[in-house]
Amino acid sequence: MSVKPSAKARSGGGSQPWLHQKGMEIQEFGTVRQFPVGLAMETRMHSCQRLNQILADTQILYSLYKKCHWLMRGPTFYQLHLLLDKHAEEQLELVDKLAERVQTLGGVAVGDPRHVAEITVIKRPPDGVEEVPAMLSRLLEAHEMILVAAHDAAATADQKGDDGTNDLLVSDVIRTGELQAWFLAEHLVDTPLIHT
C-alpha cells in the first residue's frame, strides 16, 4: 500500500520520508570532473584509473582476510585469527583512503561489490575452507599483485607530478602491504619450535 504524503509533508514541513526515490546517474564511472587541484585532466584520469584498480583489488584482499580470519583452523588458530583480523582492518582503512583519493581527483570510486568483482585481477578462492598454508599463500599472492600495481602506479604518478597519489601509494598502500606480506610469509617458514 502506498501512502501519499500530506500537503504539509510535500512542502517539507512533515516528518514522512520520501521513500523509493529514483535518480539519474550524474557522473559515469571512468570519468573525472574538473577540480581545481592543480593537476591536468589527463593526469587525474590516469591516476583515477590506476587507483580504482588498486581499490578494487584491496577490497577483495580485505574480504579474503575476513574469510581466512573466520575459517582459520589448526594449532595456530588463535594467533592467526587475531593477526588476520588486524590486517583486515588495516586494509579497510586503505580502501577508504584510496576511494577518497579518487574522489579528490574528481573521479568515481569503485564501490559496489559486484563492480569490484568485475574488475579485480585477484583470483576467486574456493567457496569452502582451504588448508592454512594455502590460505596464507593466497593472501600473499594478492598482496604481491597489489604491490606490483602500486609500485608502478606510484612511479607514474611521480612522473606526472601527482604527489598526493604517489604519497598515498608509497606511504600507505606499499608500506602496509609489505609489512603484512612479511608477517604472513614468516608463518610459512617450516622451522621446529624446539631443537632436541
Side-chain angles (χ1 to χ4, degrees):
M1 177 176 138
S2 176
V3 176
K4 288 188 174 184
S6 67
K8 186 176 182 178
R10 285 193 302 271
S11 68
S15 64
Q16 176 61 41
W18 288 72
L19 304 175
H20 310 292
Q21 295 189 42
K22 305 285 187 255
M24 57 184 253
E25 186 176 62
I26 60 173
Q27 184 181 356
E28 291 182 16
F29 181 79
T31 64
V32 293
R33 295 181 290 161
Q34 188 57 48
F35 269 13
V37 293
L39 292 169
M41 173 88 63
E42 184 273 329
T43 297
R44 291 183 300 109
M45 177 68 85
H46 185 269
S47 289
C48 285
Q49 289 169 347
R50 298 303 301 275
L51 287 166
N52 264 323
Q53 183 63 59
I54 293 166
L55 172 58
D57 295 336
T58 301
Q59 289 180 67
I60 295 296
L61 179 57
Y62 163 76
S63 295
L64 282 175
Y65 264 117
K66 291 305 284 189
K67 177 182 176 160
C68 294
H69 160 77
W70 296 320
L71 303 180
M72 188 49 55
R73 301 290 193 331
T76 58
F77 166 81
Y78 183 72
Q79 175 187 5
L80 285 172
H81 182 74
L82 295 179
L83 178 67
L84 299 182
D85 201 35
K86 176 182 180 292
H87 283 194
E89 292 306 314
E90 292 168 354
Q91 288 299 316
L92 190 56
E93 289 177 20
L94 292 177
V95 165
D96 197 51
K97 289 179 180 182
L98 287 161
E100 288 180 353
R101 182 63 188 165
V102 171
Q103 295 303 126
T104 299
L105 294 172
V108 177
V110 59
D112 187 313
R114 294 161 295 190
H115 190 189
V116 168
E118 290 172 3
I119 65 175
T120 187
V121 295
I122 296 174
K123 290 185 221 172
R124 181 178 174 168
D127 291 336
V129 180
E130 294 181 285
E131 295 177 340
V132 172
M135 286 187 208
L136 299 180
S137 291
R138 184 175 298 282
L139 289 167
L140 280 168
E141 289 167 11
H143 269 295
E144 187 167 32
M145 293 174 89
I146 291 169
L147 286 167
V148 166
H151 280 290
D152 185 62
T156 303
D158 184 50
Q159 291 168 358
K160 293 181 177 282
D162 186 353
D163 300 323
T165 297
N166 173 273
D167 180 54
L168 170 64
L169 292 170
V170 172
S171 299
D172 295 302
V173 175
I174 292 172
R175 289 193 179 141
T176 299
E178 287 175 343
L179 190 64
Q180 289 183 350
W182 170 47
F183 272 67
L184 292 175
E186 291 299 339
H187 281 87
L188 293 173
V189 175
D190 186 19
T191 58
L193 297 175
I194 302 172
H195 292 283
T196 57

